[in-house]
Amino acid sequence: MSDPAQRAAELREQLHYHNYRYYTLDDPVISDAEYDQLLAELQALEEQHPELITPDSPTQRVGAPPRTELGTVQHSLPMMSLQSLFTDDELARFDENCREAAGGGVAYLGEPKFDGLAVELVYINGVLEVAATRGDGITGEDVTENVRTIKQVPLRLRGAAPPRLEVRGEVYMRLGDFEALNQRREAAGEPLFANPRNAAAGSLRQLDSAITAQRPLAIFCYDVGLTDGLTFATQEEMLAALRGWGFPVNDLARLCEGLEGCRAYHAELGEKRDSLPYEIDGVVFKVNDRRLQEELGARSRSPRWAVAYKFPPRQATTVIERIVPSVGRTGAITPTAYLRPVRVGGVTVSRATLHNQDEIDRKDIREGDTVIIQRAGDVIPQVVKVIPEHRPPDSAPYRLPQTCPVCGTPTVREEGDAVLRCPSVDCPAQIEGRLEHYASRGALDIEGLGEKWAAILTREGLVRHVYDLYSLTKEQLVALERMGDKSAENLLAAIERTKQTTLARFLYGLGILHVGAVVAETLAQAFGDIRKLMEASLEELTQVPGIGPEIAASVHGFFRAPQNREVVERLLAAGVNPQPPAQVPASAGPGPLTGKTFVLTGTLEGFTRDQATAEITARGGKVTGSVSKKTDYVIAGADPGSKLTKAQELGVPVLDENAFRALLAESGLGTPAQPGLDL
Ligand code: IVH
């Protein structure tokens, strides 16, 4: 087992990534249950070792940070979350606490826990002014234009309203609408939403509200924020007021007397659950008396006067017909159980994820087994357990394959890693993800080549290996839908520019397991040359400060695979020329760039802006954004902007790319490009 600090760091990184997939991209790659497991592991670690808690740990906040592109909105009152309860005993404790504060029996307002996403609607003088998601509870995203497209949301309130009124509710998608939307997406070859909640979230958080308008979103309102002095004696009264203003309020909301009333309501809704046209995953109980609510107050993130009493996950029994390993975009090989189709909570299920070999071994899951499966908020369910009595006599334990099912490369599983992987940079199953990574900003930084074009280029068969990028032609590109002349030229130019890159970016771009940007930089500093790194022994790698045995093994293993070596060779042959990092020699005195201030304008051919900046700062200079009398040099590339005019006005020396290159060479660190190369 790795040490706790390292494990905590790993967990934090994974959770940040999955938060991003879930909240920002609305495209989770693991189930909610797997996510909860990771979070629980981190929480347990942090409980044992409180010194490991970092301010940015995913355990330290309620939700994910808002996506910046949408703009943000500060909530005037925090939007809290609800404590989840799972048993009658927990509910009894909640009731006891409320009764203690009340000094007698308590009435609760019970309502469904809708499975969507919370929003706040702000009305100024009765008119919808702003709508925001919950975000992290303090700051949400501005989704005003998108919310306006939801027909159920009143744009103007009926009757008299306070000058400022904040209303909270849940945006969701009805089951029938969700299925129809996914059918349309499937027909259009678009990725499917995992569940109605993700569909609602993805639709609401669109940057283009015209897209939201086509999505069948609905809302139930259940709470108020600031009400400008207007008060309500009870939750019930508040819901009646919301109805009066024209908000949709769920009609299953019911007053429940004491613990018994709550239990009966929970049981009743549990039975109704499958026949409702929308997903609910539990019941919310709120102290009805608003004065008592105030008295009970709140913990840091959730009120003491309300709870979510969750339903147990929905289960069913079926048979595993086959187990099929598939290779994901990152090379992870995951086994999927293909099931005899079965209805679980209104949805037909025909597949379940088995996660990895350990999970299969732990539960001893085999082909032909009869199993209990459960859906816990996701459409793809999990196998809970095998029913051994129904096991066919000839069954055998299941083992994941020793070679990649797609490309045949021997699979690897590192110590301490649950996941089996295909390590080939050239595996067809991974090419889309590898290409996207190669082109990403921290790697080769190919402007214009993001997720969308990585998908198109690979699916159209234009890029089967990363190095195919360098033989793309304009004719091939313009033949693609939505790729005009100018975009094709821009993309080719962007690809061409990556030929001058740094070794660190190149290494990072290869997507070697455990080699992030920082490790890539460390390796680049230590070896300075890609071929030296390719030939490095395990021992040499392990000796590099900052390179632990896990990373060393991964890098070493990567370069032992002939497919990976071939990819590197072909990239080099295509003209990619990774440069060693600029090292300031210990003996170096001040050079011509030391202490000088530079401004960059226009497009340089041989450098991205980041690269030029790195070259300057490595030589003791600095780069600023605007030209003044203090500027020493302006470096002007193609299509320079007003900075060039300003430099000329102020008499600041202007260097073109060649002069800049010569100046860099004078500094004693060598030129960043090979002599004779036409930049
Ligand atoms: S009341 C302090 N009522 O559950 C009161 N929330 O875990 C908090 N939710 O962010 C909200 N149905 O997205 C409330 N009937 C309901 C709800 C509900 C679903 C969600 C909501 C909230 C989360 C809290």
Side-chain angles (χ1 to χ4, degrees):
M1 225 8 243
S2 48
D3 79 284
Q6 194 185 343
R7 181 66 188 148
E10 267 171 42
L11 287 166
R12 277 198 300 271
E13 192 171 318
Q14 287 178 14
L15 287 162
H16 281 311
Y17 173 69
H18 292 304
N19 273 340
Y20 166 73
R21 300 279 329 183
Y22 187 95
Y23 290 103
T24 307
L25 302 182
D26 293 311
D27 182 21
V29 288
I30 59 172
S31 69
D32 290 6
E34 285 169 285
Y35 179 91
D36 289 346
Q37 235 172 24
L38 294 174
L39 189 66
E41 188 184 342
L42 182 58
Q43 272 163 342
L45 259 180
E46 289 179 345
E47 235 161 68
Q48 277 171 15
H49 307 276
E51 75 282 4
L52 295 181
I53 301 178
T54 58
D56 72 343
S57 170
T59 58
Q60 303 297 302
R61 65 170 172 223
V62 192
R67 186 161 62 171
T68 47
E69 298 99 307
L70 273 173
T72 56
V73 173
Q74 295 282 323
H75 300 300
S76 29
L77 297 176
M79 289 184 78
M80 303 231 242
S81 59
L82 291 169
Q83 187 193 2
S84 293
L85 308 181
F86 300 94
T87 65
D88 271 7
D89 284 353
E90 290 171 340
L91 185 66
R93 273 201 292 281
F94 164 69
D95 175 52
E96 202 179 298
N97 193 43
C98 296
R99 275 189 292 125
E100 217 167 84
V106 177
Y108 302 92
L109 188 85
E111 45 189 55
K113 183 167 194 305
F114 311 108
D115 204 7
L117 79 157
V119 291
E120 177 163 77
L121 315 173
V122 181
Y123 290 81
I124 304 291
N125 297 324
V127 176
L128 177 65
E129 190 81 17
V130 170
T133 63
R134 173 169 147 221
D136 62 7
I138 307 294
T139 309
E141 292 165 313
D142 187 339
V143 286
T144 312
E145 293 316 312
N146 298 345
V147 164
R148 279 189 214 285
T149 69
I150 305 177
K151 304 216 172 42
Q152 287 183 320
V153 171
L155 297 179
R156 181 177 289 278
L157 300 179
R158 296 151 61 96
R164 182 183 178 98
L165 174 69
E166 300 175 355
V167 172
R168 293 169 176 187
E170 195 86 351
V171 170
Y172 68 98
M173 197 177 282
R174 284 186 204 85
L175 282 168
D177 289 335
F178 163 71
E179 275 164 23
L181 173 65
N182 258 356
Q183 271 165 20
R184 286 202 299 275
R185 290 176 72 84
E186 185 156 29
E190 291 165 344
L192 303 189
F193 288 112
N195 53 43
R197 183 189 54 222
N198 286 347
S203 305
L204 191 66
R205 300 170 65 248
Q206 282 292 332
L207 292 171
D208 177 0
S209 61
I211 298 180
T212 315
Q214 291 160 13
R215 301 278 173 82
L217 291 175
I219 188 169
F220 284 123
C221 292
Y222 47 61
D223 201 4
V224 288
L226 276 190
T227 51
D228 240 349
L230 185 68
T231 55
F232 304 101
T234 63
Q235 240 4 67
E236 266 190 314
E237 206 179 89
M238 184 208 30
L239 290 186
L242 288 179
R243 276 206 181 90
W245 281 313
F247 294 100
V249 173
N250 185 266
D251 53 16
L252 295 170
R254 200 92 73 236
L255 199 65
C256 307
E257 290 296 341
L259 184 58
E260 282 322 304
C262 290
R263 283 186 177 156
Y265 183 73
H266 184 255
E268 184 192 326
L269 279 204
E271 301 220 326
K272 280 212 178 98
R273 181 185 190 192
D274 284 348
S275 55
L276 293 176
Y278 45 86
E279 281 266 38
I280 66 173
D281 60 349
V283 170
V284 179
F285 291 114
K286 301 172 183 172
V287 166
N288 192 37
D289 183 335
R290 307 239 328 156
R291 277 241 299 278
L292 181 54
Q293 290 183 0
E294 240 169 75
E295 232 162 90
L296 279 156
R299 302 173 205 88
S300 65
R301 294 193 191 102
S302 57
R304 288 202 176 80
W305 48 265
V307 284
Y309 188 9
K310 297 299 227 22
F311 292 134
R314 295 189 266 217
Q315 298 194 334
T317 303
T318 186
V319 174
I320 296 184
E321 294 181 328
R322 270 179 315 139
I323 298 177
V324 178
S326 61
V327 190
R329 285 165 35 123
T330 59
I333 300 181
T334 36
T336 299
Y338 282 73
L339 308 169
R340 186 172 298 161
V342 60
R343 300 277 296 173
V344 196
V347 177
T348 301
V349 162
S350 51
R351 276 180 308 163
T353 166
L354 299 178
H355 305 285
N356 52 50
Q357 186 72 52
D358 288 349
E359 171 91 354
I360 292 178
D361 294 347
R362 197 164 39 242
K363 296 181 178 160
D364 189 15
I365 299 169
R366 306 179 181 190
E367 290 183 324
D369 271 349
T370 299
V371 290
I372 295 176
I373 57 159
Q374 82 178 20
R375 264 184 69 210
D378 290 282
V379 170
I380 306 243
Q382 332 227 352
V383 172
V384 181
K385 63 170 191 169
V386 171
I387 305 180
E389 295 78 40
H390 295 310
R391 173 166 283 168
D394 58 345
S395 88
Y398 179 81
R399 304 245 15 114
L400 278 170
Q402 288 179 328
T403 55
C404 170
V406 175
C407 71
T409 304
T411 53
V412 291
R413 180 173 167 192
E414 301 208 355
E415 227 182 285
D417 189 359
V419 180
L420 185 75
R421 295 173 197 277
C422 166
S424 170
V425 70
D426 212 21
C427 173
Q430 301 172 54
I431 189 64
E432 187 180 323
R434 296 265 184 192
L435 180 63
E436 191 188 331
H437 176 76
Y438 184 81
S440 68
R441 188 166 277 201
L444 280 288
D445 194 15
I446 307 181
E447 211 185 312
L449 180 46
E451 187 178 351
K452 179 177 131 194
W453 286 105
I456 295 174
L457 291 174
T458 50
R459 282 180 207 158
E460 294 294 323
L462 294 184
V463 175
R464 292 203 167 84
H465 315 271
V466 177
Y467 48 79
D468 291 341
L469 270 181
Y470 296 95
S471 41
L472 285 173
T473 64
K474 188 172 163 190
E475 291 68 44
Q476 285 176 319
L477 291 178
V478 292
L480 298 171
E481 218 175 297
R482 281 179 292 175
M483 173 74 88
D485 252 31
K486 188 74 192 153
S487 330
E489 277 167 18
N490 287 346
L491 181 57
L492 289 174
I495 294 171
E496 190 60 26
R497 281 198 294 274
T498 65
K499 290 184 177 173
Q500 291 312 315
T501 186
T502 63
L503 180 55
R505 282 177 177 274
F506 183 70
L507 280 176
Y508 174 63
L510 290 176
I512 306 169
L513 185 64
H514 302 314
V515 180
V518 175
V519 171
E521 189 65 53
T522 309
L523 290 169
Q525 293 279 354
F527 291 90
D529 181 88
I530 181 70
R531 289 221 162 74
K532 275 197 197 133
L533 179 64
M534 283 165 85
E535 301 316 327
S537 68
L538 194 55
E539 208 190 342
E540 284 169 304
L541 283 160
T542 322
Q543 275 164 4
V544 177
I547 303 297
E550 224 180 328
I551 301 173
S554 170
V555 173
H556 187 252
F558 181 89
F559 288 119
R560 296 286 78 66
Q563 302 87 320
N564 294 339
R565 296 176 72 90
E566 162 136 16
V567 168
V568 172
E569 291 299 347
R570 286 190 181 243
L571 285 169
L572 299 180
V576 181
N577 182 19
Q579 293 298 304
Q583 277 162 331
V584 183
S587 60
L593 277 76
T594 314
K596 297 282 193 273
T597 302
F598 290 76
V599 171
L600 306 172
T601 179
T603 312
L604 298 174
E605 281 183 16
F607 308 83
T608 63
R609 199 160 272 264
D610 286 351
Q611 286 166 342
T613 306
E615 298 292 348
I616 292 167
T617 46
R619 290 164 174 80
K622 75 171 183 201
V623 176
T624 64
S626 57
V627 181
S628 74
K629 278 189 290 199
K630 292 192 187 135
T631 310
D632 293 297
Y633 297 103
V634 167
I635 314 292
D639 299 326
S642 60
K643 290 174 192 169
L644 178 61
T645 332
K646 184 84 185 280
Q648 285 159 344
E649 277 168 22
L650 295 175
V652 174
V654 176
L655 307 182
D656 65 10
E657 188 158 344
N658 282 334
F660 175 47
R661 202 170 282 288
L663 187 68
L664 293 177
E666 266 180 59
S667 74
L669 289 174
T671 28
Q674 299 273 304
L677 240 177
D678 183 16
L679 287 169

